[in-house]
Every structure is written in C-alpha cells, then in structure tokens.
Amino acid sequence: QVQLVESGGGWVQPGGSLTLSCKGSGFIFRNNVMNWYRYTPGREREFVARITPSGIDTWYGDDVQDRFTISRDNDQNTMWLQMDSLRPEDTAVYYCNLQATNYWGRGTQVTVSS
C-alpha cells in the first residue's frame, strides 16, 4: 500500500521558519517525482514545489520562490520542505504527492500568525 506521511507542521510567527517532512512507503521512492501542494478552505489547491527523482531539478510556485527549498534523501524515502521568511498567507495544510497519481498524504497544518 502506498503511504505518504507528512510531519513538522505547527504554529510560527511571521518571518519564522519551519521544516516539513514527507516519508513514503509502499513504492520505489527513488524512482518518482514528488510534489508539495498546499490547501486552505476557500482557495484552490496550490502547487508549492516539485523535485525530480535524483533531486537535481526542482520547481517552485511563484508565491514561495526564493523562500522555500525542497530536498530529498532516497535512502531515507523522505523529502523535506524548508520554509523560511514565512508569511500569514503561507497558512495552509501542506500535502505531499506522488507525481501523476492521486496518492496524497493526510497533510500537516502550518499556521503563520502573530
């Protein structure tokens, strides 16, 4: 069974940092492009970041470019999202996703407020 488990969410003040992780199982992690998306009720699901199997190539959504960094360690079946300079508008549930599938984690809540 494919499983994706996010962790690391929480509450931070504006300008703070947080690192999310996504651990995969039930598939060959190193063979797959992986994504981060985020969702807040009332808004469309938003693309956050993407990373190729080797970790060499990455892409970011316009709203997080230069503030977030995606990475992975295939030996650990884990990818991360390092989030810096967080803003209130970054508040959302963050999900990891197996590229080109409907496999999603349950999400981890990130709240940025004073």
Side-chain angles (χ1 to χ4, degrees):
Q1 179 182 349
V2 171
Q3 188 173 58
L4 300 168
V5 180
E6 303 94 339
S7 62
W11 175 84
V12 293
Q13 294 184 329
S17 297
L18 205 59
T19 301
L20 309 182
S21 66
C22 172
K23 186 173 180 62
S25 61
F27 65 100
I28 304 175
F29 187 89
R30 65 177 63 248
N31 289 354
N32 289 275
V33 177
M34 300 292 296
N35 303 304
W36 284 100
Y37 286 84
R38 64 188 183 186
Y39 173 76
T40 298
R43 302 192 309 178
E44 291 186 359
R45 184 171 59 202
E46 181 183 11
F47 169 75
V48 175
R50 175 172 295 127
I51 187 166
T52 53
S54 69
I56 297 299
D57 297 311
T58 60
W59 294 265
Y60 297 92
D62 290 342
D63 291 343
V64 307
Q65 187 79 39
D66 301 321
R67 298 188 298 118
F68 291 10
T69 303
I70 189 171
S71 61
R72 68 192 295 164
D73 185 337
N74 292 329
D75 291 333
Q76 299 184 51
N77 289 347
T78 302
M79 72 167 178
W80 294 270
L81 185 69
Q82 175 66 45
M83 305 183 295
D84 298 314
S85 302
L86 283 163
R87 306 165 181 169
E89 54 263 39
D90 294 319
T91 296
V93 179
Y94 285 72
Y95 298 89
C96 62
N97 163 251
L98 190 61
Q99 175 77 359
T101 75
N102 197 35
Y103 292 124
W104 299 84
R106 290 180 292 176
T108 186
Q109 175 72 52
V110 173
T111 302
V112 185
S113 71
S114 298

mmCIF file with all atom_site columns, all heavy atoms in Angstrom, residues 4-16:
data_model
loop_
_atom_site.group_PDB
_atom_site.id
_atom_site.type_symbol
_atom_site.label_atom_id
_atom_site.label_alt_id
_atom_site.label_comp_id
_atom_site.label_asym_id
_atom_site.label_entity_id
_atom_site.label_seq_id
_atom_site.pdbx_PDB_ins_code
_atom_site.Cartn_x
_atom_site.Cartn_y
_atom_site.Cartn_z
_atom_site.occupancy
_atom_site.B_iso_or_equiv
_atom_site.pdbx_formal_charge
_atom_site.auth_seq_id
_atom_site.auth_comp_id
_atom_site.auth_asym_id
_atom_site.auth_atom_id
_atom_site.pdbx_PDB_model_num
ATOM 1  N N   . LEU A 1 4  ? 2.039  8.003  2.254  1.00 0.00 ? 4  LEU A N   1
ATOM 2  C CA  . LEU A 1 4  ? 2.801  9.235  2.373  1.00 0.00 ? 4  LEU A CA  1
ATOM 3  C C   . LEU A 1 4  ? 2.397  9.897  3.677  1.00 0.00 ? 4  LEU A C   1
ATOM 4  O O   . LEU A 1 4  ? 1.212  10.133 3.907  1.00 0.00 ? 4  LEU A O   1
ATOM 5  C CB  . LEU A 1 4  ? 2.519  10.178 1.204  1.00 0.00 ? 4  LEU A CB  1
ATOM 6  C CG  . LEU A 1 4  ? 2.861  9.646  -0.192 1.00 0.00 ? 4  LEU A CG  1
ATOM 7  C CD1 . LEU A 1 4  ? 2.256  10.549 -1.265 1.00 0.00 ? 4  LEU A CD1 1
ATOM 8  C CD2 . LEU A 1 4  ? 4.374  9.555  -0.369 1.00 0.00 ? 4  LEU A CD2 1
ATOM 9  N N   . VAL A 1 5  ? 3.362  10.188 4.514  1.00 0.00 ? 5  VAL A N   1
ATOM 10 C CA  . VAL A 1 5  ? 3.083  10.737 5.830  1.00 0.00 ? 5  VAL A CA  1
ATOM 11 C C   . VAL A 1 5  ? 3.856  12.023 6.018  1.00 0.00 ? 5  VAL A C   1
ATOM 12 O O   . VAL A 1 5  ? 5.094  12.007 6.073  1.00 0.00 ? 5  VAL A O   1
ATOM 13 C CB  . VAL A 1 5  ? 3.433  9.741  6.948  1.00 0.00 ? 5  VAL A CB  1
ATOM 14 C CG1 . VAL A 1 5  ? 3.117  10.351 8.314  1.00 0.00 ? 5  VAL A CG1 1
ATOM 15 C CG2 . VAL A 1 5  ? 2.671  8.439  6.756  1.00 0.00 ? 5  VAL A CG2 1
ATOM 16 N N   . GLU A 1 6  ? 3.128  13.132 6.133  1.00 0.00 ? 6  GLU A N   1
ATOM 17 C CA  . GLU A 1 6  ? 3.742  14.428 6.381  1.00 0.00 ? 6  GLU A CA  1
ATOM 18 C C   . GLU A 1 6  ? 3.892  14.660 7.879  1.00 0.00 ? 6  GLU A C   1
ATOM 19 O O   . GLU A 1 6  ? 3.096  14.164 8.676  1.00 0.00 ? 6  GLU A O   1
ATOM 20 C CB  . GLU A 1 6  ? 2.896  15.569 5.794  1.00 0.00 ? 6  GLU A CB  1
ATOM 21 C CG  . GLU A 1 6  ? 2.616  15.466 4.303  1.00 0.00 ? 6  GLU A CG  1
ATOM 22 C CD  . GLU A 1 6  ? 1.302  14.782 4.004  1.00 0.00 ? 6  GLU A CD  1
ATOM 23 O OE1 . GLU A 1 6  ? 0.788  14.039 4.870  1.00 0.00 ? 6  GLU A OE1 1
ATOM 24 O OE2 . GLU A 1 6  ? 0.769  14.989 2.894  1.00 0.00 ? 6  GLU A OE2 1
ATOM 25 N N   . SER A 1 7  ? 4.873  15.452 8.233  1.00 0.00 ? 7  SER A N   1
ATOM 26 C CA  . SER A 1 7  ? 5.041  15.861 9.616  1.00 0.00 ? 7  SER A CA  1
ATOM 27 C C   . SER A 1 7  ? 5.806  17.175 9.651  1.00 0.00 ? 7  SER A C   1
ATOM 28 O O   . SER A 1 7  ? 6.369  17.606 8.646  1.00 0.00 ? 7  SER A O   1
ATOM 29 C CB  . SER A 1 7  ? 5.764  14.794 10.435 1.00 0.00 ? 7  SER A CB  1
ATOM 30 O OG  . SER A 1 7  ? 7.067  14.564 9.943  1.00 0.00 ? 7  SER A OG  1
ATOM 31 N N   . GLY A 1 8  ? 5.829  17.799 10.812 1.00 0.00 ? 8  GLY A N   1
ATOM 32 C CA  . GLY A 1 8  ? 6.614  19.005 11.013 1.00 0.00 ? 8  GLY A CA  1
ATOM 33 C C   . GLY A 1 8  ? 5.829  20.294 11.035 1.00 0.00 ? 8  GLY A C   1
ATOM 34 O O   . GLY A 1 8  ? 6.409  21.352 11.280 1.00 0.00 ? 8  GLY A O   1
ATOM 35 N N   . GLY A 1 9  ? 4.534  20.233 10.793 1.00 0.00 ? 9  GLY A N   1
ATOM 36 C CA  . GLY A 1 9  ? 3.735  21.440 10.825 1.00 0.00 ? 9  GLY A CA  1
ATOM 37 C C   . GLY A 1 9  ? 3.587  21.985 12.230 1.00 0.00 ? 9  GLY A C   1
ATOM 38 O O   . GLY A 1 9  ? 3.929  21.327 13.220 1.00 0.00 ? 9  GLY A O   1
ATOM 39 N N   . GLY A 1 10 ? 3.083  23.199 12.303 1.00 0.00 ? 10 GLY A N   1
ATOM 40 C CA  . GLY A 1 10 ? 2.892  23.841 13.585 1.00 0.00 ? 10 GLY A CA  1
ATOM 41 C C   . GLY A 1 10 ? 2.614  25.309 13.411 1.00 0.00 ? 10 GLY A C   1
ATOM 42 O O   . GLY A 1 10 ? 2.315  25.774 12.307 1.00 0.00 ? 10 GLY A O   1
ATOM 43 N N   . TRP A 1 11 ? 2.707  26.042 14.503 1.00 0.00 ? 11 TRP A N   1
ATOM 44 C CA  . TRP A 1 11 ? 2.470  27.486 14.507 1.00 0.00 ? 11 TRP A CA  1
ATOM 45 C C   . TRP A 1 11 ? 3.788  28.231 14.609 1.00 0.00 ? 11 TRP A C   1
ATOM 46 O O   . TRP A 1 11 ? 4.650  27.877 15.430 1.00 0.00 ? 11 TRP A O   1
ATOM 47 C CB  . TRP A 1 11 ? 1.568  27.864 15.690 1.00 0.00 ? 11 TRP A CB  1
ATOM 48 C CG  . TRP A 1 11 ? 1.383  29.337 15.839 1.00 0.00 ? 11 TRP A CG  1
ATOM 49 C CD1 . TRP A 1 11 ? 0.496  30.129 15.186 1.00 0.00 ? 11 TRP A CD1 1
ATOM 50 C CD2 . TRP A 1 11 ? 2.133  30.196 16.716 1.00 0.00 ? 11 TRP A CD2 1
ATOM 51 N NE1 . TRP A 1 11 ? 0.633  31.439 15.599 1.00 0.00 ? 11 TRP A NE1 1
ATOM 52 C CE2 . TRP A 1 11 ? 1.625  31.509 16.532 1.00 0.00 ? 11 TRP A CE2 1
ATOM 53 C CE3 . TRP A 1 11 ? 3.167  29.982 17.630 1.00 0.00 ? 11 TRP A CE3 1
ATOM 54 C CZ2 . TRP A 1 11 ? 2.128  32.601 17.233 1.00 0.00 ? 11 TRP A CZ2 1
ATOM 55 C CZ3 . TRP A 1 11 ? 3.672  31.066 18.330 1.00 0.00 ? 11 TRP A CZ3 1
ATOM 56 C CH2 . TRP A 1 11 ? 3.149  32.354 18.128 1.00 0.00 ? 11 TRP A CH2 1
ATOM 57 N N   . VAL A 1 12 ? 3.953  29.239 13.769 1.00 0.00 ? 12 VAL A N   1
ATOM 58 C CA  . VAL A 1 12 ? 5.131  30.098 13.810 1.00 0.00 ? 12 VAL A CA  1
ATOM 59 C C   . VAL A 1 12 ? 4.707  31.539 13.587 1.00 0.00 ? 12 VAL A C   1
ATOM 60 O O   . VAL A 1 12 ? 3.677  31.815 12.976 1.00 0.00 ? 12 VAL A O   1
ATOM 61 C CB  . VAL A 1 12 ? 6.188  29.708 12.760 1.00 0.00 ? 12 VAL A CB  1
ATOM 62 C CG1 . VAL A 1 12 ? 6.786  28.345 13.073 1.00 0.00 ? 12 VAL A CG1 1
ATOM 63 C CG2 . VAL A 1 12 ? 5.592  29.732 11.356 1.00 0.00 ? 12 VAL A CG2 1
ATOM 64 N N   . GLN A 1 13 ? 5.524  32.462 14.060 1.00 0.00 ? 13 GLN A N   1
ATOM 65 C CA  . GLN A 1 13 ? 5.284  33.880 13.825 1.00 0.00 ? 13 GLN A CA  1
ATOM 66 C C   . GLN A 1 13 ? 5.765  34.278 12.440 1.00 0.00 ? 13 GLN A C   1
ATOM 67 O O   . GLN A 1 13 ? 6.650  33.630 11.861 1.00 0.00 ? 13 GLN A O   1
ATOM 68 C CB  . GLN A 1 13 ? 5.992  34.712 14.886 1.00 0.00 ? 13 GLN A CB  1
ATOM 69 C CG  . GLN A 1 13 ? 5.428  34.524 16.285 1.00 0.00 ? 13 GLN A CG  1
ATOM 70 C CD  . GLN A 1 13 ? 6.088  35.436 17.293 1.00 0.00 ? 13 GLN A CD  1
ATOM 71 O OE1 . GLN A 1 13 ? 7.258  35.783 17.155 1.00 0.00 ? 13 GLN A OE1 1
ATOM 72 N NE2 . GLN A 1 13 ? 5.340  35.833 18.308 1.00 0.00 ? 13 GLN A NE2 1
ATOM 73 N N   . PRO A 1 14 ? 5.184  35.330 11.877 1.00 0.00 ? 14 PRO A N   1
ATOM 74 C CA  . PRO A 1 14 ? 5.675  35.820 10.587 1.00 0.00 ? 14 PRO A CA  1
ATOM 75 C C   . PRO A 1 14 ? 7.183  36.050 10.615 1.00 0.00 ? 14 PRO A C   1
ATOM 76 O O   . PRO A 1 14 ? 7.726  36.569 11.592 1.00 0.00 ? 14 PRO A O   1
ATOM 77 C CB  . PRO A 1 14 ? 4.910  37.128 10.389 1.00 0.00 ? 14 PRO A CB  1
ATOM 78 C CG  . PRO A 1 14 ? 3.641  36.923 11.158 1.00 0.00 ? 14 PRO A CG  1
ATOM 79 C CD  . PRO A 1 14 ? 4.035  36.115 12.366 1.00 0.00 ? 14 PRO A CD  1
ATOM 80 N N   . GLY A 1 15 ? 7.831  35.654 9.541  1.00 0.00 ? 15 GLY A N   1
ATOM 81 C CA  . GLY A 1 15 ? 9.280  35.746 9.462  1.00 0.00 ? 15 GLY A CA  1
ATOM 82 C C   . GLY A 1 15 ? 10.001 34.520 9.964  1.00 0.00 ? 15 GLY A C   1
ATOM 83 O O   . GLY A 1 15 ? 11.219 34.394 9.766  1.00 0.00 ? 15 GLY A O   1
ATOM 84 N N   . GLY A 1 16 ? 9.288  33.620 10.592 1.00 0.00 ? 16 GLY A N   1
ATOM 85 C CA  . GLY A 1 16 ? 9.890  32.420 11.130 1.00 0.00 ? 16 GLY A CA  1
ATOM 86 C C   . GLY A 1 16 ? 10.117 31.353 10.080 1.00 0.00 ? 16 GLY A C   1
ATOM 87 O O   . GLY A 1 16 ? 9.809  31.528 8.898  1.00 0.00 ? 16 GLY A O   1
#
